[in-house]
Amino acid sequence: MAEQKKQVQEQDVNQLLKVRREKLAELQANGKDPFVITKFDVTNHSTDVKEDFEAYDGKTVSIAGRMMSKRVMGKASFCNVQDLKGNIQSYIARDSIGEEEYKAFKKLDIGDIIGITGEVFRTKTGEISIHAASVTLLSKSLQVLPEKFHGLTNTDIRYRQRYVDLIMNPEVKDTFIKRSKIISSIRKYLDGQGFMEVETPMLVSNAGGAAARPFETHFNALDEDRKLRISLELYLKRLIVGGMERVYEIGRVFRNEGLDTRHNPEFTLMELYQAYTDYNGMMDLTENLYRHVAQDVLGTTKIVYNGVEMDLGKPFERITMVDAVKKYAGVDFNEIHTLKEARAIAKEKHVEYEERHKKGDILALFFEEFAEEHLIQPTFVMDHPIEISPLTKKKPENPEYTERFEFFMNGWEMANAYSELNDPIDQRERFKAQEEQLAQGDEEANTTDEDFLNALEIGMPPTGGIGFGIDRMCMLLTNSAAIRDVLLFPTMKSMGAAKNEANNAAQSAPAKSVATFTATSDMAEKIDFSNVEVEPLFEDMVDFDTFSKSDFRAVKVKECEAVPKSKKLLKFVLDDGSGVERVILSGIHDYYEPEELVGKTLLAITNLPPRKMMGIDSCGMIISATHLVEGREGLNVLILDDHIPAGAKLY
């Protein structure tokens, strides 16, 4: 029945699309092709007229935008036009625009882009409107706009087709207008403080300045491998060496990591460097910058995110990482002097660490595990261990720690700042330690940058530096739930069977007319299993009694997100039919992004004892199928029919 209904809907949509193309063909045949029009003189936006009606009453204006609704009533009609700033009603009368023009207007479709010239007036019902003297079709919409776009449960489409999202949801457009104002406000503040905006390379031979895995590419002209930058730091410091005392850059950086509500592989970073100051100077700058931007863009220093008020007007709290761990974990690292002691307390407190981790790394793991989530109000967490701060000056009085802080709000890291390391000998040793970590399997470790070391040897003054995550700042200031809500075009996994090579081939092939939004359907995928290897079947038998003790259940995925600090783990919040949410962690992030699995029906074993993974109890196991292709593992999660209810037992 559902399939039959879907087929009928697709037929209806295809018929509507056919009619729109026929209308376009008729216009073109009659010499009225809208696509040959090159301009329309717009005098005002909708809100200009509506917010200052007294000034415009009886005056002639020209507006342009997308027709969002239309009511035809014999000799007169109404339509609503949406432009950049809002929308306004227009009264279209046959006697005012002419009989032929009125016939043409009646054939217009919702979604068409039109220009209207006419007098401003107020209707009998009190609505400010434009009495049209002329209506011009500026662009024909050949697609069908969704009726209730915001009601769609599949938010994935909103991100993929942002242009439709912007048309149908005014609050989305408001978010991105606000984002633009935030970035503009940052620039105004820094320019007023004597900073110079600069641009540095995105394609680099050595991607340093942060702990992250880079994207790699090949530059054909020079026949050299290059990387996309993961940070702005090392080039901006070169400019400090060159005598540019205050510099900043706002730009895209790229990190080959997972996607979740706070991470996108390409994101906007702002880094600045100021000669002759230290990390205390960066704290003062951060406090003043955040206050300025909030007041400038929002008109207040109090912001509300997800129902929680944060006050940027009060002095920001300052606490050391050691004191934060002592406060929230009850562990005093001032009393822990050896790696052996650090590992012992980590085991006692169930904090997972790797063999390569040193005492300072374990302190940082404690901070992430116990303290971060409590840092809701603006807080500077200072004095990080040297092991996790390869580009930072040591504290003179305690060289195990560095003059570094991270700025937190809402439990999120919002900025990272240093008293910059300017000792080239020390810096070389730090790079050497990073390369040792790289050799031990840390894909996020830095490598030695000889040209940067040469710059330091030329001489860099004492310098304070900081990096701000602009996207997270925009999330907080616009009350947006996910980073994708503040990125116009977030990174998305390719849809359907046409991926990678097939996508590349499609880009060079002749364009086809496809109903992308309302009538998409993937072509049947032909799968070649000839080069697939599977594990040999078990030869040992398991008796039915033992097998039956495993409780296999259908589970519905309510939420799914990447586990912070893990490249492989996804955290599932599941409906298992019991009425109590079940959390299961699964190491499948190499194969699936979280948003792909939300709403799906999966298969899980639900009676396994809880197993702690990255400090989270995993209560069960998601069932997947694995195989090998040319020595590489492939994996497919078992996705069940959605008709199967949560909690259904599998036999």
Side-chain angles (χ1 to χ4, degrees):
M1 186 71 181
E3 185 62 32
Q4 193 174 20
K5 184 178 179 181
K6 182 182 175 185
Q7 289 176 353
V8 170
Q9 287 174 338
E10 287 187 0
Q11 287 172 1
D12 291 344
V13 167
N14 288 330
Q15 180 59 29
L16 289 171
L17 298 180
K18 182 171 178 285
V19 168
R20 290 192 177 210
R21 280 165 172 74
E22 289 171 351
K23 287 181 180 180
L24 175 63
E26 183 183 345
L27 287 166
Q28 291 170 330
N30 293 330
K32 297 181 179 179
D33 185 352
F35 297 123
V36 302
I37 296 175
T38 58
K39 62 177 291 189
F40 181 81
D41 291 326
V42 176
T43 63
N44 298 93
H45 282 104
S46 56
T47 50
D48 300 337
V49 175
K50 293 168 83 170
E51 292 174 2
D52 196 9
F53 172 70
E54 304 303 325
Y56 287 101
D57 188 13
K59 303 281 178 63
T60 297
V61 298
S62 292
I63 63 145
R66 192 176 299 274
M67 187 167 71
M68 300 301 292
S69 66
K70 183 175 76 165
R71 282 184 294 137
V72 177
M73 303 179 298
K75 298 178 182 179
S77 301
F78 288 94
C79 72
N80 192 284
V81 176
Q82 176 177 291
D83 60 18
L84 170 68
K85 296 184 178 179
N87 62 81
I88 193 166
Q89 178 177 270
S90 182
Y91 173 68
I92 318 291
R94 185 187 67 181
D95 294 344
S96 298
I97 67 171
E99 191 164 342
E100 288 303 311
E101 286 76 9
Y102 190 64
K103 283 182 182 177
F105 169 78
K106 290 199 292 184
K107 290 183 179 180
L108 295 181
D109 292 304
I110 303 302
D112 286 349
I113 296 174
I114 60 176
I116 292 178
T117 299
E119 281 190 13
V120 176
F121 77 111
R122 195 188 291 272
T123 66
K124 291 178 182 178
T125 59
E127 185 164 354
I128 296 168
S129 306
I130 297 172
H131 189 148
S134 67
V135 179
T136 307
L137 176 62
L138 301 172
S139 182
K140 183 71 186 164
S141 175
L142 300 180
Q143 269 289 353
V144 180
L145 288 176
E147 291 181 16
K148 293 183 179 179
F149 192 81
H150 202 64
L152 280 176
T153 55
N154 187 359
T155 55
D156 185 78
I157 298 177
R158 288 183 48 225
Y159 300 136
R160 290 184 186 279
Q161 298 187 23
R162 182 67 84 187
Y163 41 91
V164 183
D165 192 20
L166 291 166
I167 292 166
M168 302 307 296
N169 294 312
E171 69 276 10
V172 172
K173 189 185 291 182
D174 289 344
T175 293
F176 288 105
I177 290 172
K178 204 169 282 182
R179 179 189 170 108
S180 178
K181 290 179 179 177
I182 289 166
I183 294 173
S184 176
S185 183
I186 291 169
R187 285 192 165 102
K188 281 188 293 185
Y189 179 80
L190 292 177
D191 293 347
Q193 296 296 312
F195 282 85
M196 180 190 304
E197 185 173 11
V198 297
E199 294 171 307
T200 61
M202 288 190 183
L203 274 178
V204 295
S205 55
N206 190 330
R213 184 169 58 173
F215 287 94
E216 297 180 354
T217 187
H218 187 76
F219 186 9
N220 291 337
L222 298 180
D223 192 24
E224 287 183 356
D225 289 335
R226 293 289 171 97
K227 298 178 177 69
L228 291 175
R229 67 184 180 189
I230 60 173
S231 166
L232 312 174
E233 180 166 350
L234 300 186
Y235 280 97
L236 291 176
K237 285 183 180 177
R238 286 168 167 90
L239 299 180
I240 295 291
V241 170
M244 292 183 168
E245 293 181 1
R246 299 188 183 201
V247 293
Y248 77 96
E249 181 173 7
I250 299 174
R252 277 291 218 241
V253 296
F254 309 87
R255 297 183 183 179
N256 200 346
E257 57 192 16
L259 297 140
D260 60 31
T261 55
R262 284 183 283 157
H263 293 88
N264 195 70
E266 56 173 307
F267 61 97
T268 303
L269 183 64
M270 190 269 281
E271 289 195 34
L272 65 85
Y273 293 85
Q274 179 179 342
Y276 311 115
T277 191
D278 62 2
Y279 76 147
N280 292 299
M282 293 296 100
M283 283 186 241
D284 295 339
L285 184 146
T286 301
E287 206 163 329
N288 293 330
L289 172 64
Y290 260 77
R291 280 198 195 112
H292 168 86
V293 172
Q295 188 67 50
D296 188 30
V297 177
L298 305 178
T300 178
T301 57
K302 290 183 178 178
I303 65 170
V304 177
Y305 185 81
N306 199 24
V308 177
E309 184 177 276
M310 286 163 264
D311 192 351
L312 294 164
K314 294 179 180 177
F316 295 4
E317 183 183 357
R318 302 187 182 195
I319 188 171
T320 67
M321 183 177 282
V322 168
D323 286 344
V325 169
K326 184 178 179 180
K327 180 177 180 180
Y328 295 110
V331 176
D332 187 355
F333 267 75
N334 285 325
E335 303 299 321
I336 295 170
H337 303 291
T338 66
L339 176 57
K340 184 178 179 181
E341 291 172 351
R343 286 176 171 175
I345 195 67
K347 288 176 181 176
E348 180 186 323
K349 295 290 186 178
H350 306 292
V351 174
E352 293 192 10
Y353 61 87
E354 297 177 26
E355 191 63 29
R356 62 184 174 82
H357 283 150
K358 297 181 172 62
K359 176 190 161 188
D361 297 300
I362 294 173
L363 168 61
L365 292 172
F366 265 83
F367 172 75
E368 292 165 5
E369 181 75 27
F370 295 104
E372 276 190 6
E373 63 183 308
H374 299 286
L375 306 178
I376 304 301
Q377 296 301 320
T379 305
F380 295 117
V381 177
M382 309 179 296
D383 302 351
H384 294 218
I386 193 168
E387 291 89 344
I388 62 168
S389 310
L391 297 161
T392 316
K393 275 192 173 181
K394 298 173 186 174
K395 290 184 71 66
E397 68 275 17
N398 189 350
E400 287 187 8
Y401 296 93
T402 61
E403 292 196 347
R404 172 185 175 187
F405 74 80
E406 288 177 324
F407 172 49
F408 281 85
M409 285 181 68
N410 194 49
W412 302 347
E413 179 201 334
M414 305 297 295
N416 186 17
Y418 312 150
S419 295
E420 301 296 335
L421 182 61
N422 62 346
D423 178 346
I425 298 169
D426 189 357
Q427 182 63 81
R428 183 174 291 279
E429 290 302 311
R430 307 274 193 101
F431 275 141
K432 185 178 177 182
Q434 285 281 297
E435 291 199 333
E436 287 173 3
Q437 289 190 31
L438 189 67
Q440 293 173 29
D442 184 356
E443 295 176 322
E444 297 183 346
N446 286 193
T447 54
T448 302
D449 187 328
E450 290 293 347
D451 182 70
F452 175 66
L453 287 171
N454 185 63
L456 288 188
E457 288 175 357
I458 295 291
M460 186 174 87
T463 298
I466 190 166
F468 291 86
I470 297 297
D471 304 314
R472 290 186 189 177
M473 186 182 194
C474 291
M475 286 173 67
L476 280 183
L477 295 181
T478 61
N479 197 17
S480 297
I483 193 170
R484 292 182 173 193
D485 295 326
V486 296
L487 297 175
L488 279 167
F489 300 102
T491 303
M492 305 290 288
K493 190 162 185 173
S494 302
M495 291 180 70
K499 297 178 182 176
N500 300 328
E501 290 86 3
N503 269 345
N504 294 335
Q507 288 176 17
S508 58
K512 295 182 179 179
S513 178
V514 181
T516 56
F517 183 81
T518 49
T520 54
S521 60
D522 292 326
M523 295 173 63
E525 186 179 4
K526 294 180 180 177
I527 303 172
D528 178 14
F529 288 119
S530 62
N531 63 343
V532 170
E533 300 172 53
V534 297
E535 289 186 24
L537 298 181
F538 282 107
E539 294 181 358
D540 294 336
M541 291 296 177
V542 179
D543 63 85
F544 277 95
D545 185 53
T546 301
F547 171 75
S548 66
K549 291 176 183 175
S550 293
D551 195 12
F552 289 89
R553 298 281 179 163
V555 291
K556 304 281 186 183
V557 182
K558 298 176 70 175
E559 299 172 27
C560 185
E561 63 179 8
V563 175
K565 312 298 179 184
S566 172
K567 297 186 182 73
K568 294 184 177 180
L569 289 174
L570 293 182
K571 176 186 172 185
F572 291 85
V573 178
L574 303 164
D575 175 6
D576 62 7
S578 68
V580 178
E581 291 181 344
R582 176 181 294 272
V583 173
I584 296 181
L585 274 62
S586 184
I588 59 172
H589 201 175
D590 285 343
Y591 307 96
Y592 291 91
E593 295 303 335
E595 70 275 2
E596 293 179 79
L597 298 172
V598 174
K600 295 289 192 290
T601 305
L602 308 182
L603 179 60
I605 302 177
T606 57
N607 65 333
L608 295 172
R611 180 186 175 200
K612 195 170 282 289
M613 303 167 73
M614 299 295 288
I616 302 168
D617 280 340
S618 179
C619 302
M621 179 183 290
I622 302 289
I623 303 301
S624 302
T626 63
H627 60 274
L628 292 175
V629 182
E630 297 175 354
R632 297 184 65 185
E633 184 178 68
L635 179 144
N636 292 86
V637 170
L638 297 190
I639 299 177
L640 306 179
D641 191 304
D642 284 339
H643 291 90
I644 300 173
K649 186 173 175 65
L650 275 76
Y651 291 93

